[in-house]
Amino acid sequence: MKRLMILMLAAGMVSCHEEKKEAPAPEPQPPAAPAAGTQSPNQAESFAKAKETVTDDGYIAFAYAAGWDRYSEAFAKAWITNADIQKAAGSARLLLAPVYQAQDEKTKKAQDDFWGPIPEKARGFQLETYPAIMLFDKEGRHYADVFGPDMITRTPADIAADVAGKLELLHRQADLLKKAEAASGAEAARLLGEAATLEGIAAPDKIAERVKKEDPQDESGYVRRLEFNGLSFADQKRKQVADLQSKDEKWAAIQDVVKEVEGMLEDDAYTNAQKQEMCSAVIGVLHRDGGYKGSLQIAKWAKRMTELDPESVLGRSGKVVPDVWAWKLNYAEGWTPKGIPDDKTPIALRGDLPISDPGSYTLQFMYHSGKDALHIEKVMLYDGDELVSEDEHQGEASKSPRNNSYTVTADAKLKNPRVFIIFNNGDKRDSYGMIRIDNE
């Protein structure tokens, strides 16, 4: 009896202990599949069939990865029969859209039969985005999507609200296009431009050409807004500077880029997002070809990029851009491979530097380990943005150091001492060591 009581107590203690453990978060479960044969009143078998009765609400396809992912298929089948989503879809024709990834002859024919007039480039997503909801206008233009990893955890009511919002954008865009047809010149261009730049919906096909035809002098500003491409702009500015040979030519070209962008930032025709891309292009040429003079201006352009829209991706990145290329080069910690660039970008030495009073300061680069030597070209001492002194020579910190000491001089007390270093290591950066600063 005593032994039984001990066992019972032990079991109770284990049970209590187990009850205190936090249960793992349950994995999202697909909704219950609708009964066999259940479908939406507006559901069609294919786009060709749906086209026979399509309305201004167009088509909505519930896409899933066919043949290998029953998980996404279960969601798509549940959504297309959900009352909230059906209501949000208005009179749009609804389709259950299987998307095959590895197509053979049979599945390719099935895809072609299903999608019919819809261009192949608009027939699906990448693997990681299923399940997804794809929206098309009555002409078959793929104008919006509702998708993302959180689709499997969101409620049907939330998804329905997104579908309704996309459909509202389609009607707003259609209304602007209709008004543009009744107008002409810059007014027509303005209406077309507004239709093309509605956030959350794709621009109508060939809209830029229509705007340009209505407004050849670009009085509305929408021609340059629609023709602006951030990646092309950045590549053009890069070539404008990088193709030049001498440092003076490069610096003059950078000033031309800066002057051009300064003017574009004052132009209300461009969106804040486009202006951020312009700032990013300037930062790019300053970083690649501006040398130490350019590096001193990067912080200013990063700040402007952030001020345009602090919560955007480029806005948030602007807060770390000034430090991103030297975030691991700290005086107290020394250098590591992450603190050595693969180009000759001047790198700021971070930390509490023992430099302020007048005198000479020697920076000695002391190698500790790594298969590569550290190659140094120049050390520059600044007071704020003003160059005070520099020492330029080829140095090497390694097991057999060579000219690895650099001396800079301050004639007066420094208010904001800053040290920049130019390395010349290329991709050979497996090097570790410390930087010692002595006052002579």
Side-chain angles (χ1 to χ4, degrees):
M1 177 66 70
K2 184 175 181 181
R3 181 174 180 178
L4 179 60
M5 290 180 64
I6 293 173
L7 290 173
M8 290 175 65
L9 285 170
M13 290 174 66
V14 170
S15 176
C16 290
H17 179 70
E18 289 178 346
E19 287 177 2
K20 290 180 181 179
K21 290 183 179 178
E22 292 187 7
E27 292 187 4
Q29 296 298 316
T38 302
Q39 67 175 37
S40 163
N42 282 339
Q43 188 170 338
E45 296 177 6
S46 68
F47 275 88
K49 281 285 187 183
K51 189 175 181 180
E52 297 172 3
T53 55
V54 71
T55 70
D56 288 344
D57 286 347
Y59 313 84
I60 300 178
F62 297 80
Y64 65 92
W68 62 273
D69 184 6
R70 295 179 183 176
Y71 203 63
S72 66
E73 183 177 357
F75 274 97
K77 288 181 176 179
W79 288 340
I80 201 170
T81 56
N82 179 268
D84 288 336
I85 295 177
Q86 287 180 26
K87 183 178 179 181
S91 62
R93 300 309 313 272
L94 309 183
L95 300 107
L96 193 61
V99 181
Y100 297 90
Q101 298 303 317
Q103 293 189 20
D104 54 25
E105 188 175 336
K106 181 180 178 181
T107 55
K108 187 178 188 309
K109 184 179 184 307
Q111 287 280 256
D112 291 341
D113 290 343
F114 174 80
W115 292 96
I118 305 300
E120 191 167 347
K121 65 181 180 180
R123 293 182 180 183
F125 284 79
Q126 299 300 316
L127 298 180
E128 63 269 24
T129 62
Y130 292 109
I133 299 176
M134 307 164 63
L135 296 93
F136 301 80
D137 68 12
K138 64 180 180 181
E139 306 301 328
R141 176 176 65 98
H142 184 186
Y143 71 86
D145 306 300
V146 179
F147 69 104
D150 63 343
M151 290 289 279
I152 61 175
T153 58
R154 298 176 64 196
T155 66
D158 285 341
I159 294 171
D162 275 0
V163 170
K166 298 298 185 184
L167 204 53
E168 182 184 348
L169 284 173
L170 175 65
H171 294 315
R172 194 186 312 170
Q173 189 178 69
D175 184 56
L176 286 166
L177 294 174
K178 185 177 180 180
K179 289 178 178 177
E181 290 177 2
S184 62
E187 176 61 14
R190 182 187 65 79
L191 292 165
L192 290 169
E194 287 185 16
T197 54
L198 279 176
E199 190 174 350
I201 182 173
D205 295 335
K206 298 182 179 179
I207 192 73
E209 292 91 331
R210 293 172 62 185
V211 173
K212 200 168 187 176
K213 183 178 179 180
E214 291 287 352
D215 187 13
Q217 302 302 316
D218 197 18
E219 295 177 28
S220 66
Y222 276 101
V223 174
R224 51 191 183 275
R225 177 182 292 192
L226 292 174
E227 289 185 342
F228 179 83
N229 180 290
L231 291 176
S232 297
F233 182 81
D235 188 56
Q236 178 190 356
K237 299 305 116 182
R238 179 189 64 80
K239 291 178 179 178
Q240 185 175 328
V241 177
D243 291 344
L244 300 173
Q245 298 302 314
S246 73
K247 291 181 180 179
D248 290 342
E249 285 179 318
K250 286 180 182 290
W251 186 246
I254 289 174
Q255 299 316 298
D256 290 340
V257 171
V258 167
K259 185 176 180 181
E260 179 186 359
V261 172
E262 290 279 11
M264 296 174 76
L265 292 179
E266 297 299 319
D267 189 346
D268 291 336
Y270 298 106
T271 65
N272 281 345
Q274 289 174 331
K275 292 178 180 180
Q276 285 182 312
E277 291 177 327
M278 297 171 195
C279 291
S280 177
V282 173
I283 291 170
V285 296
L286 289 171
H287 169 57
R288 282 186 298 267
D289 298 297
Y292 65 88
K293 290 193 292 184
S295 68
L296 294 175
Q297 296 186 15
I298 288 176
K300 178 185 76 172
W301 283 95
K303 182 180 179 183
R304 295 184 75 169
M305 189 167 68
T306 296
E307 289 172 345
L308 286 162
D309 185 356
E311 298 306 317
S312 66
V313 173
L314 284 178
R316 293 195 299 271
S317 69
K319 298 173 183 177
V320 298
V321 160
D323 295 328
V324 73
W325 292 295
W327 68 284
K328 283 294 185 181
L329 187 59
N330 188 284
Y331 172 60
E333 299 170 2
W335 75 83
T336 69
K338 290 185 177 180
I340 307 170
D342 57 7
D343 56 15
K344 296 184 180 181
T345 300
I347 299 301
L349 182 60
R350 309 292 173 179
D352 187 13
L353 306 181
I355 299 175
S356 62
D357 295 329
S360 293
Y361 297 88
T362 297
L363 283 77
Q364 185 176 14
F365 295 82
M366 300 182 295
Y367 166 90
H368 283 177
S369 61
K371 65 181 181 180
D372 297 321
L374 179 72
H375 295 280
I376 313 104
E377 284 204 350
K378 184 189 290 189
V379 170
M380 296 160 287
L381 175 63
Y382 278 79
D383 190 5
D385 294 342
E386 182 181 351
L387 178 64
V388 175
S389 176
E390 62 182 334
D391 185 350
E392 182 174 8
H393 65 261
Q394 301 295 323
E396 178 183 305
S398 62
K399 292 180 181 178
S400 301
R402 178 179 57 84
N403 299 325
N404 62 320
S405 293
Y406 289 74
T407 300
V408 290
T409 302
D411 294 331
K413 187 174 180 63
L414 303 178
K415 296 179 181 178
N416 181 21
R418 304 168 70 191
V419 170
F420 287 85
I421 303 166
I422 295 180
F423 299 104
N424 187 18
N425 268 52
D427 60 356
K428 296 183 177 180
R429 292 173 287 170
D430 183 25
S431 185
Y432 300 80
M434 299 298 293
I435 302 172
R436 176 176 173 178
I437 300 179
D438 293 316
N439 179 215
E440 298 178 4

